[in-house]
Amino acid sequence: MKFAGNRLFRAGVFSALVAALGITGCSTTDTFEQPVPVPEVDTSVTLKTVWEMSVGDGHDGDFLYLAPLNAGDVVYAASADGELVAVNSETGKLLWERELQDRIFAGVGGDLEQLYLVTREADLVALSREDGQELWRSALPTEALAAPQSNGSLVVAQTTDGRVLAFDTADGEILWQYDGVVPALSLRAATAPLVGGDVVIAAFSNGKLMALAADSGQPLWQYEVGQPQGRTELERLVDIAGQPLVLESAIMVAGYQGKLALVDIRTGQEIWSRKASSLQAPMIGGGNIYMSSANGDVVAYRGSDRREVWLQDKLSWRQLTQPAVYENYLVVGDYEGYLHVLSADDGRLVGQTHYDSDGLRVPLQRLANGNLMVFGNGGKLSVFTLRERSGSVRTQGSAKRQSLK
């Protein structure tokens, strides 16, 4: 089964948490941890810039997740203020750019023919991949933060109130709608659905992972990643905030105050699980599972038995991105815009650079040639290789996704 696209927490005081995550409608006496200072690192690995450019004003001060679309030899990126660009992923050469008249809230999604964005006014917009020309637009019932996903015949958007809507890619006609259940309190997160030829996998803020029939939107199965517990609404948060990771016939998913689990795509049956809490999707490499925990710890689990291999706690509460695996290293970004390089063997911090003073939120991505693409909140788009102190540049092809059953 093939899917399209594959794709913070305690800020110090509760008001900062509310502003950062969009949490509203609750009160609490809980205390929250301050992010640790940037750790000092004895650098043995540096990030070497291959190319870089600026894409509008980036997120332009909004709490958005405008991740670039990695389409092989071309990268498509959009900014909140309406700049859309197509860039050669190898050289950084600008292929075309378009200044849209809308502010953008979600994207970029795409298929072989079209790109998809969602505007601040909650319009789903389809544009040509050739030049960014608008082809059609359809209204959504409310705002969306997750990039629309497409299998070529339908495009699926998920709104912040838990609705999943499918549209015909040819003309934007709505095909079906599924209304999910949203708790009174949830994170302002952007979990994009997975869209296959016959099934759509959607994650919800009530901790449920659900499979819907692609042709009708009818539920096929559901899996509970987290179960609300505790006295306060804050304690009962169980959001799934990172897009599940597809691994052959299974998907790996992590939830906030829930678990890390591997689930059969066809049946929703749990293959294995362990307790975990994360606002990011897990990543795999070298037989290990890597995860940025909600408290800022970076953890490696052995894929064969899910036992902890190592834990790096020097980045606590720094609101880390999903780990990116780069050969023998991991790279994570944080809320202050630092990029941290860790040894995949033991979690040691081996490199660090300050990238974007507006911070980093969207996942780092590996390109087809193995280079690392980074998009900062302020609109800086860059591609890096990793250079060891000896001077050799570490590159590799696309990471293979393994079976971790």
Side-chain angles (χ1 to χ4, degrees), residues 49-376:
T49 303
V50 177
W51 58 262
E52 65 179 34
M53 65 179 297
S54 180
V55 183
D57 291 327
H59 294 108
D60 201 21
D62 291 326
F63 195 87
L64 304 175
Y65 297 84
L66 296 175
L69 174 64
N70 173 14
D73 57 347
V74 181
V75 168
Y76 301 92
S79 64
D81 56 331
E83 182 172 339
L84 176 64
V85 299
V87 184
N88 182 286
S89 61
E90 291 274 353
T91 65
K93 178 182 177 182
L94 182 66
L95 303 177
W96 56 258
E97 65 179 320
R98 181 168 290 274
E99 295 289 341
L100 306 176
Q101 299 305 307
D102 301 278
R103 285 191 66 80
I104 305 303
F105 255 35
V108 181
D111 51 39
L112 293 177
E113 302 293 334
Q114 298 176 169
L115 304 174
Y116 304 98
L117 301 169
V118 179
T119 72
R120 181 174 59 181
E121 289 71 30
D123 285 337
L124 171 63
V125 183
L127 308 105
S128 167
R129 273 182 57 161
E130 294 299 319
D131 57 10
Q133 183 70 37
E134 182 175 324
L135 302 175
W136 54 258
R137 67 172 58 203
S138 296
L140 299 175
T142 189
E143 73 174 16
L145 296 176
Q149 303 293 303
S150 173
N151 63 8
S153 60
L154 77 159
V155 56
V156 179
Q158 186 165 352
T159 59
T160 54
D161 64 353
R163 282 180 270 198
V164 182
L165 305 99
F167 298 84
D168 192 318
T169 57
D171 55 14
E173 179 183 359
I174 189 167
L175 301 175
W176 52 259
Q177 175 176 322
Y178 175 81
D179 295 337
V181 177
V182 175
L185 185 68
S186 62
L187 305 178
R188 186 176 173 83
T191 308
L194 295 165
V195 183
D198 54 3
V199 67
V200 173
I201 307 291
F204 296 91
S205 56
N206 61 359
K208 299 291 197 307
L209 186 70
M210 183 164 289
L212 308 171
D215 60 353
S216 65
Q218 291 299 308
L220 301 175
W221 55 256
Q222 71 173 21
Y223 175 77
E224 193 173 69
V225 180
Q227 186 173 26
Q229 299 181 34
R231 295 173 299 171
T232 69
E233 292 295 332
L234 191 61
E235 291 174 327
R236 294 172 63 81
L237 285 172
V238 289
D239 293 56
I240 304 171
Q243 186 184 48
L245 186 66
V246 179
L247 301 170
E248 298 178 354
S249 61
I251 48 179
M252 191 181 298
V253 61
Y256 178 68
Q257 299 187 143
K259 54 189 173 182
L260 170 68
L262 190 70
V263 181
D264 190 292
I265 290 179
R266 298 158 296 186
T267 65
Q269 182 178 356
E270 178 180 291
I271 299 169
W272 57 254
S273 70
R274 61 162 294 150
K275 187 176 181 180
S277 181
S278 180
L279 294 165
Q280 306 293 341
M283 187 55 69
I284 66 168
N288 288 339
I289 304 166
Y290 302 102
M291 191 172 69
S292 294
S293 299
N295 67 356
D297 292 344
V298 184
V299 189
Y301 301 108
R302 193 162 51 208
S304 58
D305 57 14
R306 278 72 66 193
R307 292 191 177 184
E308 185 178 301
V309 178
W310 54 256
L311 182 148
Q312 173 56 261
D313 62 1
K314 293 183 179 179
L315 302 172
S316 295
W317 307 113
R318 294 195 61 82
Q319 304 166 28
L320 303 182
T321 64
Q322 178 190 31
V325 178
Y326 192 107
E327 199 167 317
N328 296 323
Y329 303 102
L330 303 181
V331 186
V332 296
D334 71 23
Y335 80 108
E336 287 188 315
Y338 283 88
L339 290 166
H340 306 276
V341 184
L342 293 78
S343 165
D345 293 331
D346 56 16
R348 286 180 302 112
L349 288 164
V350 295
Q352 182 185 94
T353 187
H354 191 222
Y355 179 73
D356 188 330
S357 59
D358 288 334
L360 290 157
R361 188 175 305 123
V362 302
L364 317 180
Q365 299 184 52
R366 295 295 302 279
L367 298 177
N369 61 7
N371 292 340
L372 184 68
M373 179 170 65
V374 181
F375 187 49

